[in-house]
Amino acid sequence: MVEAANAFSNSLTDEQKSLALLDLTQQDAVAWSNLPCGQSCRGGVPLEDLDDDQAALAETLLKTAIGTDKAGYTRVEALRTADDYLAELQSSGQGGGPGSAPSGASGAPSGGPPSGQMPSGGPMPSGGQMPSGGGGGGLGGYGAGLYDLALLGDPSANGTWMLHFGGHHLAINFTYKNGQVSGASPYFVGVEPTSFTGDDGTQYAPMEDMADAVKAVTAGLSTEQLGQAKLKDSFTDVLLGPGEDGQFPETKQGVQVSTLNDAQKQAVLAAMRTWVGVADDSTAQSMMSTYESELDSTYISYSGGTDLTEQGDYFRIDGPSVWIEFVCQNGVVVQNQVHYHTIWRDHTRDYGGEFSF
């Protein structure tokens, strides 16, 4: 990671370094968002400003940090190409949201995006409320190049530094301390629509594994347990999105995992792994060991329905350490379908535990 980070930073121009190489401060650390708002809401150098050699070094850095499987770089690339699809929809007048071209139609076109591309979704503000109009052009736009990469602090094997990468529907925040990953959260992922068919006939569903993991947990609960797990509140977004650092509810709600049988407990652990898998294998194994040791003190809950097909369908895992949310929102660009938002946080390890909130 240090070699990859330094190779990337050494390739940058002075102007690019002023954007990408930041101080390790709380202000810079929490400057991320899942909105399509460009650099007005996050730090870093945009990928669209990199030449081919610099882009290759950025790719190597990201692959080194998160791996290349579906939980890592493969998902990242899916979300980036998703933004190209949204930009195409809006420019052709077939998508909704501010900044879209005038059109009498809404929703996805009859065909898919250009070969190899997939769709993504609308913006999410913090605090669990939808904006009155969110969407692409009015906020900063959609596009695979509108993702920003930043290094906070000096990369080294014996110091503390952070890697930030994100854009619309994506926020990756890794903290390194004395040669180890001390935090791999907050980690935000979203996609709109949830699945689609590309021009080449390929089926795309970048968050299907996450949705399936959530549904496996709730499907394994009895009618009585579902009643205990049901929340009174309704949700239009995740609670702990950008700007909500440290704002965990004081009281845990739902069904306590200690009351579940072994199969139900395994489903909860499997769900956790789907998010934690963004970290390297060693880090993921260490974090899962902690989460498993705290499993009996962990709670699961939901609101709305359990099929994840309607606005407000919501699921949560809340433990002494782990926090995972998954929610369905109405479409913003593709307005006739829901799309997904989700976040993984850790009560004590967000940003490596470097800050107090």
Side-chain angles (χ1 to χ4, degrees):
M1 275 301 302
V2 173
E3 289 179 359
N6 286 332
F8 170 70
S9 63
N10 290 336
S11 75
L12 301 177
T13 66
D14 289 343
E15 182 178 358
Q16 291 170 331
K17 286 179 179 179
S18 70
L19 297 174
L21 308 183
L22 306 176
D23 294 332
L24 180 54
T25 65
Q26 181 170 324
Q27 180 178 352
D28 286 337
V30 303
W32 62 269
S33 177
N34 65 287
L35 291 167
C37 47
Q39 290 183 289
S40 66
C41 62
R42 62 179 66 87
V45 59
L47 295 188
E48 66 179 4
D49 289 353
L50 304 179
D51 64 28
D52 289 345
D53 291 337
Q54 292 170 328
L57 292 170
E59 179 177 333
T60 297
L61 175 58
L62 290 170
K63 287 181 175 179
T64 304
I66 63 178
T68 58
D69 60 10
K70 183 169 185 177
Y73 195 73
T74 298
R75 199 190 312 272
V76 166
E77 284 299 274
L79 300 177
R80 289 183 61 219
T81 52
D83 263 17
D84 278 342
Y85 177 62
L86 291 184
E88 179 182 315
L89 282 180
Q90 288 201 327
S91 66
S92 65
Q94 299 179 85
S100 58
S103 173
S106 64
S110 57
S115 178
Q117 294 189 356
M118 52 190 311
S120 185
M124 180 215 72
S126 62
Q129 296 183 357
M130 282 289 290
S132 57
L139 289 170
Y142 302 112
L146 302 177
Y147 286 70
D148 301 287
L149 180 58
L151 301 172
L152 281 61
D154 297 323
S156 70
N158 54 13
T160 303
W161 59 286
M162 296 182 182
L163 167 71
H164 283 197
F165 179 73
H168 176 231
H169 273 168
L170 178 67
I172 292 173
N173 300 283
F174 273 51
T175 306
Y176 299 88
K177 187 169 186 175
N178 297 326
Q180 302 291 328
V181 177
S182 57
S185 59
Y187 171 50
F188 185 101
V189 183
V191 69
E192 176 191 0
T194 59
S195 64
F196 85 108
T197 303
D199 282 344
D200 59 357
T202 302
Q203 296 289 325
Y204 296 93
M207 292 178 62
E208 183 177 33
D209 57 333
M210 292 174 161
D212 286 347
V214 167
K215 288 186 283 188
V217 173
T218 54
L221 299 180
S222 68
T223 301
E224 180 181 359
Q225 290 169 329
L226 284 171
Q228 295 170 346
K230 186 86 178 245
L231 297 170
K232 295 180 180 179
D233 296 329
S234 59
F235 301 85
T236 57
D237 210 334
V238 296
L239 283 179
L240 298 187
E244 300 297 330
D245 302 290
Q247 302 303 304
F248 300 96
E250 293 183 3
T251 303
K252 299 187 186 303
Q253 298 175 282
V255 170
Q256 191 168 355
V257 178
S258 62
T259 66
L260 305 184
N261 62 38
D262 288 343
Q264 293 168 326
K265 290 180 179 180
Q266 289 303 312
V268 175
L269 288 171
M272 293 180 189
R273 291 190 190 97
T274 311
W275 276 259
V276 177
V278 69
D280 65 274
D281 290 346
S282 177
T283 299
Q285 182 177 355
S286 175
M287 288 189 172
M288 283 304 305
S289 178
T290 297
Y291 292 171
E292 186 168 6
S293 72
E294 299 172 345
L295 191 62
D296 283 348
S297 300
T298 299
Y299 288 72
I300 56 173
S301 57
Y302 76 100
S303 180
T306 59
D307 292 336
L308 304 182
T309 58
E310 302 289 338
Q311 162 89 359
D313 288 353
Y314 172 89
F315 175 83
R316 180 192 303 171
I317 301 175
D318 184 12
S321 297
V322 67
W323 172 276
I324 292 171
E325 294 179 85
F326 189 106
V327 69
C328 294
Q329 285 191 347
N330 287 332
V332 175
V333 178
V334 182
Q335 295 180 342
N336 58 346
Q337 300 182 38
V338 298
H339 74 282
Y340 297 150
H341 282 184
T342 186
I343 192 164
W344 166 39
R345 285 186 178 268
D346 190 290
H347 284 260
T348 60
R349 297 172 184 82
D350 276 1
Y351 312 104
E354 293 296 313
F355 312 112
S356 298
F357 300 104

PDB file of all heavy atoms in Angstrom, residues 31-43 46 48 83 121-125 134-143 146-148 166-170 242:
ATOM      1  N   ALA A  31     -14.872  14.763   5.059  1.00  0.00           N
ATOM      2  CA  ALA A  31     -15.340  15.443   3.845  1.00  0.00           C
ATOM      3  C   ALA A  31     -15.575  14.428   2.734  1.00  0.00           C
ATOM      4  O   ALA A  31     -14.816  14.324   1.771  1.00  0.00           O
ATOM      5  CB  ALA A  31     -14.338  16.496   3.405  1.00  0.00           C
ATOM      6  N   TRP A  32     -16.654  13.642   2.901  1.00  0.00           N
ATOM      7  CA  TRP A  32     -17.069  12.709   1.851  1.00  0.00           C
ATOM      8  C   TRP A  32     -18.585  12.771   1.726  1.00  0.00           C
ATOM      9  O   TRP A  32     -19.284  13.235   2.610  1.00  0.00           O
ATOM     10  CB  TRP A  32     -16.618  11.281   2.183  1.00  0.00           C
ATOM     11  CG  TRP A  32     -17.208  10.705   3.442  1.00  0.00           C
ATOM     12  CD1 TRP A  32     -16.667  10.779   4.697  1.00  0.00           C
ATOM     13  CD2 TRP A  32     -18.437   9.976   3.576  1.00  0.00           C
ATOM     14  NE1 TRP A  32     -17.496  10.148   5.607  1.00  0.00           N
ATOM     15  CE2 TRP A  32     -18.588   9.644   4.944  1.00  0.00           C
ATOM     16  CE3 TRP A  32     -19.421   9.587   2.664  1.00  0.00           C
ATOM     17  CZ2 TRP A  32     -19.684   8.935   5.415  1.00  0.00           C
ATOM     18  CZ3 TRP A  32     -20.523   8.873   3.143  1.00  0.00           C
ATOM     19  CH2 TRP A  32     -20.637   8.553   4.516  1.00  0.00           C
ATOM     20  N   SER A  33     -19.086  12.308   0.615  1.00  0.00           N
ATOM     21  CA  SER A  33     -20.521  12.303   0.379  1.00  0.00           C
ATOM     22  C   SER A  33     -20.852  11.283  -0.687  1.00  0.00           C
ATOM     23  O   SER A  33     -19.989  10.919  -1.492  1.00  0.00           O
ATOM     24  CB  SER A  33     -20.997  13.689  -0.068  1.00  0.00           C
ATOM     25  OG  SER A  33     -22.383  13.674  -0.374  1.00  0.00           O
ATOM     26  N   ASN A  34     -22.104  10.819  -0.686  1.00  0.00           N
ATOM     27  CA  ASN A  34     -22.577   9.953  -1.762  1.00  0.00           C
ATOM     28  C   ASN A  34     -23.356  10.741  -2.813  1.00  0.00           C
ATOM     29  O   ASN A  34     -23.904  10.168  -3.742  1.00  0.00           O
ATOM     30  CB  ASN A  34     -23.482   8.848  -1.216  1.00  0.00           C
ATOM     31  CG  ASN A  34     -24.750   9.408  -0.623  1.00  0.00           C
ATOM     32  OD1 ASN A  34     -24.726  10.004   0.455  1.00  0.00           O
ATOM     33  ND2 ASN A  34     -25.872   9.255  -1.329  1.00  0.00           N
ATOM     34  N   LEU A  35     -23.425  12.051  -2.671  1.00  0.00           N
ATOM     35  CA  LEU A  35     -24.129  12.886  -3.623  1.00  0.00           C
ATOM     36  C   LEU A  35     -23.313  13.070  -4.905  1.00  0.00           C
ATOM     37  O   LEU A  35     -22.080  13.028  -4.864  1.00  0.00           O
ATOM     38  CB  LEU A  35     -24.404  14.260  -3.011  1.00  0.00           C
ATOM     39  CG  LEU A  35     -25.421  14.327  -1.880  1.00  0.00           C
ATOM     40  CD1 LEU A  35     -25.330  15.670  -1.190  1.00  0.00           C
ATOM     41  CD2 LEU A  35     -26.827  14.086  -2.396  1.00  0.00           C
ATOM     42  N   PRO A  36     -23.976  13.318  -6.042  1.00  0.00           N
ATOM     43  CA  PRO A  36     -23.257  13.633  -7.282  1.00  0.00           C
ATOM     44  C   PRO A  36     -22.863  15.104  -7.299  1.00  0.00           C
ATOM     45  O   PRO A  36     -23.326  15.878  -8.129  1.00  0.00           O
ATOM     46  CB  PRO A  36     -24.283  13.291  -8.363  1.00  0.00           C
ATOM     47  CG  PRO A  36     -25.599  13.589  -7.730  1.00  0.00           C
ATOM     48  CD  PRO A  36     -25.438  13.217  -6.272  1.00  0.00           C
ATOM     49  N   CYS A  37     -22.014  15.496  -6.353  1.00  0.00           N
ATOM     50  CA  CYS A  37     -21.732  16.921  -6.140  1.00  0.00           C
ATOM     51  C   CYS A  37     -20.268  17.264  -6.369  1.00  0.00           C
ATOM     52  O   CYS A  37     -19.815  18.334  -5.967  1.00  0.00           O
ATOM     53  CB  CYS A  37     -22.141  17.317  -4.723  1.00  0.00           C
ATOM     54  SG  CYS A  37     -21.561  16.187  -3.447  1.00  0.00           S
ATOM     55  N   GLY A  38     -19.512  16.351  -6.990  1.00  0.00           N
ATOM     56  CA  GLY A  38     -18.136  16.666  -7.326  1.00  0.00           C
ATOM     57  C   GLY A  38     -17.312  17.090  -6.129  1.00  0.00           C
ATOM     58  O   GLY A  38     -17.487  16.609  -5.013  1.00  0.00           O
ATOM     59  N   GLN A  39     -16.393  18.038  -6.352  1.00  0.00           N
ATOM     60  CA  GLN A  39     -15.477  18.450  -5.298  1.00  0.00           C
ATOM     61  C   GLN A  39     -16.083  19.479  -4.344  1.00  0.00           C
ATOM     62  O   GLN A  39     -15.405  19.931  -3.431  1.00  0.00           O
ATOM     63  CB  GLN A  39     -14.195  18.997  -5.923  1.00  0.00           C
ATOM     64  CG  GLN A  39     -13.360  17.915  -6.592  1.00  0.00           C
ATOM     65  CD  GLN A  39     -12.069  18.464  -7.131  1.00  0.00           C
ATOM     66  OE1 GLN A  39     -12.064  19.195  -8.109  1.00  0.00           O
ATOM     67  NE2 GLN A  39     -10.970  18.120  -6.493  1.00  0.00           N
ATOM     68  N   SER A  40     -17.347  19.826  -4.556  1.00  0.00           N
ATOM     69  CA  SER A  40     -17.979  20.735  -3.609  1.00  0.00           C
ATOM     70  C   SER A  40     -18.279  20.034  -2.293  1.00  0.00           C
ATOM     71  O   SER A  40     -18.563  20.695  -1.297  1.00  0.00           O
ATOM     72  CB  SER A  40     -19.284  21.293  -4.205  1.00  0.00           C
ATOM     73  OG  SER A  40     -20.245  20.266  -4.367  1.00  0.00           O
ATOM     74  N   CYS A  41     -18.217  18.700  -2.258  1.00  0.00           N
ATOM     75  CA  CYS A  41     -18.552  17.980  -1.030  1.00  0.00           C
ATOM     76  C   CYS A  41     -17.514  16.937  -0.656  1.00  0.00           C
ATOM     77  O   CYS A  41     -17.733  16.152   0.267  1.00  0.00           O
ATOM     78  CB  CYS A  41     -19.922  17.312  -1.162  1.00  0.00           C
ATOM     79  SG  CYS A  41     -20.014  16.081  -2.477  1.00  0.00           S
ATOM     80  N   ARG A  42     -16.400  16.892  -1.334  1.00  0.00           N
ATOM     81  CA  ARG A  42     -15.359  15.916  -0.989  1.00  0.00           C
ATOM     82  C   ARG A  42     -14.012  16.412  -1.475  1.00  0.00           C
ATOM     83  O   ARG A  42     -13.923  17.247  -2.363  1.00  0.00           O
ATOM     84  CB  ARG A  42     -15.672  14.537  -1.580  1.00  0.00           C
ATOM     85  CG  ARG A  42     -15.742  14.502  -3.096  1.00  0.00           C
ATOM     86  CD  ARG A  42     -16.035  13.110  -3.610  1.00  0.00           C
ATOM     87  NE  ARG A  42     -17.348  12.661  -3.228  1.00  0.00           N
ATOM     88  CZ  ARG A  42     -18.464  12.914  -3.930  1.00  0.00           C
ATOM     89  NH1 ARG A  42     -18.391  13.609  -5.047  1.00  0.00           N
ATOM     90  NH2 ARG A  42     -19.633  12.485  -3.530  1.00  0.00           N
ATOM     91  N   GLY A  43     -12.953  15.874  -0.874  1.00  0.00           N
ATOM     92  CA  GLY A  43     -11.606  16.216  -1.287  1.00  0.00           C
ATOM     93  C   GLY A  43     -11.064  15.200  -2.273  1.00  0.00           C
ATOM     94  O   GLY A  43     -11.651  14.145  -2.499  1.00  0.00           O
ATOM     95  N   PRO A  46      -9.921  14.517  -9.098  1.00  0.00           N
ATOM     96  CA  PRO A  46     -10.864  13.752  -9.918  1.00  0.00           C
ATOM     97  C   PRO A  46     -10.136  12.820 -10.878  1.00  0.00           C
ATOM     98  O   PRO A  46      -9.099  13.175 -11.447  1.00  0.00           O
ATOM     99  CB  PRO A  46     -11.628  14.844 -10.687  1.00  0.00           C
ATOM    100  CG  PRO A  46     -11.392  16.108  -9.931  1.00  0.00           C
ATOM    101  CD  PRO A  46     -10.029  15.965  -9.331  1.00  0.00           C
ATOM    102  N   GLU A  48     -10.962  12.098 -13.769  1.00  0.00           N
ATOM    103  CA  GLU A  48     -10.985  12.643 -15.118  1.00  0.00           C
ATOM    104  C   GLU A  48      -9.817  13.595 -15.369  1.00  0.00           C
ATOM    105  O   GLU A  48      -9.526  13.921 -16.521  1.00  0.00           O
ATOM    106  CB  GLU A  48     -12.309  13.354 -15.391  1.00  0.00           C
ATOM    107  CG  GLU A  48     -12.549  14.602 -14.562  1.00  0.00           C
ATOM    108  CD  GLU A  48     -13.875  15.277 -14.897  1.00  0.00           C
ATOM    109  OE1 GLU A  48     -14.632  14.717 -15.720  1.00  0.00           O
ATOM    110  OE2 GLU A  48     -14.157  16.346 -14.313  1.00  0.00           O
ATOM    111  N   ASP A  83     -22.546   5.645 -13.357  1.00  0.00           N
ATOM    112  CA  ASP A  83     -22.716   7.084 -13.494  1.00  0.00           C
ATOM    113  C   ASP A  83     -22.686   7.522 -14.955  1.00  0.00           C
ATOM    114  O   ASP A  83     -23.368   8.477 -15.343  1.00  0.00           O
ATOM    115  CB  ASP A  83     -21.637   7.814 -12.696  1.00  0.00           C
ATOM    116  CG  ASP A  83     -22.140   8.238 -11.329  1.00  0.00           C
ATOM    117  OD1 ASP A  83     -23.167   7.705 -10.895  1.00  0.00           O
ATOM    118  OD2 ASP A  83     -21.505   9.106 -10.713  1.00  0.00           O
ATOM    119  N   GLY A 121     -27.582   5.522  -9.237  1.00  0.00           N
ATOM    120  CA  GLY A 121     -28.782   6.135  -8.751  1.00  0.00           C
ATOM    121  C   GLY A 121     -28.668   7.525  -8.223  1.00  0.00           C
ATOM    122  O   GLY A 121     -27.694   8.209  -8.393  1.00  0.00           O
ATOM    123  N   GLY A 122     -29.726   7.916  -7.546  1.00  0.00           N
ATOM    124  CA  GLY A 122     -29.895   9.291  -7.105  1.00  0.00           C
ATOM    125  C   GLY A 122     -29.187   9.593  -5.817  1.00  0.00           C
ATOM    126  O   GLY A 122     -28.661   8.724  -5.152  1.00  0.00           O
ATOM    127  N   PRO A 123     -29.171  10.840  -5.452  1.00  0.00           N
ATOM    128  CA  PRO A 123     -28.408  11.302  -4.305  1.00  0.00           C
ATOM    129  C   PRO A 123     -29.058  10.981  -2.977  1.00  0.00           C
ATOM    130  O   PRO A 123     -30.246  10.737  -2.897  1.00  0.00           O
ATOM    131  CB  PRO A 123     -28.362  12.814  -4.520  1.00  0.00           C
ATOM    132  CG  PRO A 123     -29.629  13.086  -5.245  1.00  0.00           C
ATOM    133  CD  PRO A 123     -29.855  11.901  -6.140  1.00  0.00           C
ATOM    134  N   MET A 124     -28.271  10.992  -1.955  1.00  0.00           N
ATOM    135  CA  MET A 124     -28.763  10.754  -0.614  1.00  0.00           C
ATOM    136  C   MET A 124     -28.205  11.794   0.323  1.00  0.00           C
ATOM    137  O   MET A 124     -27.003  11.933   0.432  1.00  0.00           O
ATOM    138  CB  MET A 124     -28.317   9.376  -0.117  1.00  0.00           C
ATOM    139  CG  MET A 124     -28.811   9.093   1.286  1.00  0.00           C
ATOM    140  SD  MET A 124     -27.671   8.131   2.272  1.00  0.00           S
ATOM    141  CE  MET A 124     -26.394   9.332   2.569  1.00  0.00           C
ATOM    142  N   PRO A 125     -29.037  12.550   0.964  1.00  0.00           N
ATOM    143  CA  PRO A 125     -28.556  13.456   1.991  1.00  0.00           C
ATOM    144  C   PRO A 125     -28.416  12.713   3.305  1.00  0.00           C
ATOM    145  O   PRO A 125     -28.950  11.632   3.467  1.00  0.00           O
ATOM    146  CB  PRO A 125     -29.662  14.498   2.084  1.00  0.00           C
ATOM    147  CG  PRO A 125     -30.891  13.700   1.800  1.00  0.00           C
ATOM    148  CD  PRO A 125     -30.469  12.624   0.803  1.00  0.00           C
ATOM    149  N   GLY A 134     -33.219  15.979  -5.738  1.00  0.00           N
ATOM    150  CA  GLY A 134     -31.888  15.579  -6.057  1.00  0.00           C
ATOM    151  C   GLY A 134     -31.683  14.959  -7.399  1.00  0.00           C
ATOM    152  O   GLY A 134     -32.558  14.532  -8.044  1.00  0.00           O
ATOM    153  N   GLY A 135     -30.540  14.950  -7.917  1.00  0.00           N
ATOM    154  CA  GLY A 135     -30.272  14.413  -9.232  1.00  0.00           C
ATOM    155  C   GLY A 135     -28.944  14.901  -9.729  1.00  0.00           C
ATOM    156  O   GLY A 135     -28.185  15.487  -9.009  1.00  0.00           O
ATOM    157  N   GLY A 136     -28.651  14.654 -10.981  1.00  0.00           N
ATOM    158  CA  GLY A 136     -27.318  14.873 -11.491  1.00  0.00           C
ATOM    159  C   GLY A 136     -26.936  16.289 -11.753  1.00  0.00           C
ATOM    160  O   GLY A 136     -26.242  16.919 -10.974  1.00  0.00           O
ATOM    161  N   GLY A 137     -27.377  16.828 -12.883  1.00  0.00           N
ATOM    162  CA  GLY A 137     -26.812  18.073 -13.357  1.00  0.00           C
ATOM    163  C   GLY A 137     -26.856  19.211 -12.363  1.00  0.00           C
ATOM    164  O   GLY A 137     -25.936  20.015 -12.284  1.00  0.00           O
ATOM    165  N   GLY A 138     -27.921  19.323 -11.584  1.00  0.00           N
ATOM    166  CA  GLY A 138     -28.047  20.436 -10.672  1.00  0.00           C
ATOM    167  C   GLY A 138     -27.065  20.395  -9.527  1.00  0.00           C
ATOM    168  O   GLY A 138     -26.813  21.407  -8.891  1.00  0.00           O
ATOM    169  N   LEU A 139     -26.497  19.231  -9.229  1.00  0.00           N
ATOM    170  CA  LEU A 139     -25.601  19.103  -8.089  1.00  0.00           C
ATOM    171  C   LEU A 139     -24.134  19.009  -8.491  1.00  0.00           C
ATOM    172  O   LEU A 139     -23.258  19.329  -7.728  1.00  0.00           O
ATOM    173  CB  LEU A 139     -25.979  17.860  -7.269  1.00  0.00           C
ATOM    174  CG  LEU A 139     -27.289  17.972  -6.495  1.00  0.00           C
ATOM    175  CD1 LEU A 139     -27.676  16.617  -5.927  1.00  0.00           C
ATOM    176  CD2 LEU A 139     -27.159  18.981  -5.380  1.00  0.00           C
ATOM    177  N   GLY A 140     -23.851  18.554  -9.673  1.00  0.00           N
ATOM    178  CA  GLY A 140     -22.470  18.386 -10.076  1.00  0.00           C
ATOM    179  C   GLY A 140     -22.329  17.415 -11.216  1.00  0.00           C
ATOM    180  O   GLY A 140     -21.341  17.416 -11.926  1.00  0.00           O
ATOM    181  N   GLY A 141     -23.328  16.557 -11.407  1.00  0.00           N
ATOM    182  CA  GLY A 141     -23.334  15.685 -12.556  1.00  0.00           C
ATOM    183  C   GLY A 141     -22.926  14.266 -12.259  1.00  0.00           C
ATOM    184  O   GLY A 141     -22.372  13.948 -11.214  1.00  0.00           O
ATOM    185  N   TYR A 142     -23.247  13.398 -13.218  1.00  0.00           N
ATOM    186  CA  TYR A 142     -22.888  11.988 -13.167  1.00  0.00           C
ATOM    187  C   TYR A 142     -21.783  11.713 -14.177  1.00  0.00           C
ATOM    188  O   TYR A 142     -21.718  12.340 -15.227  1.00  0.00           O
ATOM    189  CB  TYR A 142     -24.098  11.119 -13.507  1.00  0.00           C
ATOM    190  CG  TYR A 142     -25.301  11.309 -12.610  1.00  0.00           C
ATOM    191  CD1 TYR A 142     -26.472  11.884 -13.099  1.00  0.00           C
ATOM    192  CD2 TYR A 142     -25.258  10.910 -11.280  1.00  0.00           C
ATOM    193  CE1 TYR A 142     -27.583  12.049 -12.283  1.00  0.00           C
ATOM    194  CE2 TYR A 142     -26.362  11.079 -10.456  1.00  0.00           C
ATOM    195  CZ  TYR A 142     -27.521  11.650 -10.962  1.00  0.00           C
ATOM    196  OH  TYR A 142     -28.611  11.817 -10.150  1.00  0.00           O
ATOM    197  N   GLY A 143     -20.937  10.745 -13.884  1.00  0.00           N
ATOM    198  CA  GLY A 143     -19.895  10.344 -14.815  1.00  0.00           C
ATOM    199  C   GLY A 143     -18.790   9.578 -14.122  1.00  0.00           C
ATOM    200  O   GLY A 143     -18.469   9.836 -12.958  1.00  0.00           O
ATOM    201  N   LEU A 146     -15.945  11.484 -12.446  1.00  0.00           N
ATOM    202  CA  LEU A 146     -16.248  12.392 -11.332  1.00  0.00           C
ATOM    203  C   LEU A 146     -16.108  11.691  -9.985  1.00  0.00           C
ATOM    204  O   LEU A 146     -16.948  11.818  -9.102  1.00  0.00           O
ATOM    205  CB  LEU A 146     -17.653  12.969 -11.504  1.00  0.00           C
ATOM    206  CG  LEU A 146     -17.878  13.738 -12.804  1.00  0.00           C
ATOM    207  CD1 LEU A 146     -19.319  14.219 -12.908  1.00  0.00           C
ATOM    208  CD2 LEU A 146     -16.910  14.912 -12.931  1.00  0.00           C
ATOM    209  N   TYR A 147     -15.045  10.934  -9.833  1.00  0.00           N
ATOM    210  CA  TYR A 147     -14.712  10.261  -8.576  1.00  0.00           C
ATOM    211  C   TYR A 147     -13.340  10.757  -8.153  1.00  0.00           C
ATOM    212  O   TYR A 147     -12.447  10.910  -8.991  1.00  0.00           O
ATOM    213  CB  TYR A 147     -14.729   8.748  -8.752  1.00  0.00           C
ATOM    214  CG  TYR A 147     -16.130   8.188  -8.856  1.00  0.00           C
ATOM    215  CD1 TYR A 147     -16.902   8.433  -9.983  1.00  0.00           C
ATOM    216  CD2 TYR A 147     -16.689   7.456  -7.822  1.00  0.00           C
ATOM    217  CE1 TYR A 147     -18.200   7.963 -10.083  1.00  0.00           C
ATOM    218  CE2 TYR A 147     -17.989   6.970  -7.908  1.00  0.00           C
ATOM    219  CZ  TYR A 147     -18.735   7.238  -9.046  1.00  0.00           C
ATOM    220  OH  TYR A 147     -20.033   6.768  -9.129  1.00  0.00           O
ATOM    221  N   ASP A 148     -13.193  10.987  -6.858  1.00  0.00           N
ATOM    222  CA  ASP A 148     -12.010  11.671  -6.355  1.00  0.00           C
ATOM    223  C   ASP A 148     -11.187  10.766  -5.446  1.00  0.00           C
ATOM    224  O   ASP A 148     -11.743  10.034  -4.612  1.00  0.00           O
ATOM    225  CB  ASP A 148     -12.431  12.919  -5.581  1.00  0.00           C
ATOM    226  CG  ASP A 148     -13.241  13.877  -6.450  1.00  0.00           C
ATOM    227  OD1 ASP A 148     -12.638  14.521  -7.311  1.00  0.00           O
ATOM    228  OD2 ASP A 148     -14.469  13.957  -6.267  1.00  0.00           O
ATOM    229  N   GLY A 166     -14.067   8.192  -3.623  1.00  0.00           N
ATOM    230  CA  GLY A 166     -15.519   8.165  -3.713  1.00  0.00           C
ATOM    231  C   GLY A 166     -16.073   9.143  -4.715  1.00  0.00           C
ATOM    232  O   GLY A 166     -15.357   9.940  -5.335  1.00  0.00           O
ATOM    233  N   GLY A 167     -17.373   9.063  -4.864  1.00  0.00           N
ATOM    234  CA  GLY A 167     -18.145   9.911  -5.754  1.00  0.00           C
ATOM    235  C   GLY A 167     -19.602   9.611  -5.503  1.00  0.00           C
ATOM    236  O   GLY A 167     -19.988   9.200  -4.406  1.00  0.00           O
ATOM    237  N   HIS A 168     -20.418   9.775  -6.529  1.00  0.00           N
ATOM    238  CA  HIS A 168     -21.833   9.473  -6.381  1.00  0.00           C
ATOM    239  C   HIS A 168     -22.029   7.997  -6.052  1.00  0.00           C
ATOM    240  O   HIS A 168     -21.513   7.117  -6.718  1.00  0.00           O
ATOM    241  CB  HIS A 168     -22.580   9.808  -7.675  1.00  0.00           C
ATOM    242  CG  HIS A 168     -24.016   9.436  -7.652  1.00  0.00           C
ATOM    243  ND1 HIS A 168     -24.603   8.694  -8.638  1.00  0.00           N
ATOM    244  CD2 HIS A 168     -24.988   9.694  -6.737  1.00  0.00           C
ATOM    245  CE1 HIS A 168     -25.882   8.511  -8.351  1.00  0.00           C
ATOM    246  NE2 HIS A 168     -26.133   9.109  -7.192  1.00  0.00           N
ATOM    247  N   HIS A 169     -22.758   7.745  -4.964  1.00  0.00           N
ATOM    248  CA  HIS A 169     -23.089   6.386  -4.521  1.00  0.00           C
ATOM    249  C   HIS A 169     -21.875   5.575  -4.089  1.00  0.00           C
ATOM    250  O   HIS A 169     -21.926   4.340  -4.079  1.00  0.00           O
ATOM    251  CB  HIS A 169     -23.843   5.625  -5.620  1.00  0.00           C
ATOM    252  CG  HIS A 169     -25.320   5.841  -5.584  1.00  0.00           C
ATOM    253  ND1 HIS A 169     -26.154   5.461  -6.599  1.00  0.00           N
ATOM    254  CD2 HIS A 169     -26.121   6.406  -4.644  1.00  0.00           C
ATOM    255  CE1 HIS A 169     -27.405   5.769  -6.290  1.00  0.00           C
ATOM    256  NE2 HIS A 169     -27.403   6.353  -5.104  1.00  0.00           N
ATOM    257  N   LEU A 170     -20.797   6.204  -3.706  1.00  0.00           N
ATOM    258  CA  LEU A 170     -19.632   5.448  -3.250  1.00  0.00           C
ATOM    259  C   LEU A 170     -18.776   6.293  -2.323  1.00  0.00           C
ATOM    260  O   LEU A 170     -18.476   7.449  -2.630  1.00  0.00           O
ATOM    261  CB  LEU A 170     -18.785   4.985  -4.435  1.00  0.00           C
ATOM    262  CG  LEU A 170     -17.504   4.221  -4.071  1.00  0.00           C
ATOM    263  CD1 LEU A 170     -17.857   2.869  -3.432  1.00  0.00           C
ATOM    264  CD2 LEU A 170     -16.630   4.015  -5.295  1.00  0.00           C
ATOM    265  N   PRO A 242     -23.389  10.677   5.205  1.00  0.00           N
ATOM    266  CA  PRO A 242     -22.361  11.709   5.352  1.00  0.00           C
ATOM    267  C   PRO A 242     -22.818  12.803   6.310  1.00  0.00           C
ATOM    268  O   PRO A 242     -23.983  13.194   6.333  1.00  0.00           O
ATOM    269  CB  PRO A 242     -22.209  12.248   3.925  1.00  0.00           C
ATOM    270  CG  PRO A 242     -23.461  11.846   3.218  1.00  0.00           C
ATOM    271  CD  PRO A 242     -23.877  10.560   3.822  1.00  0.00           C
TER     272      PRO A 242
END
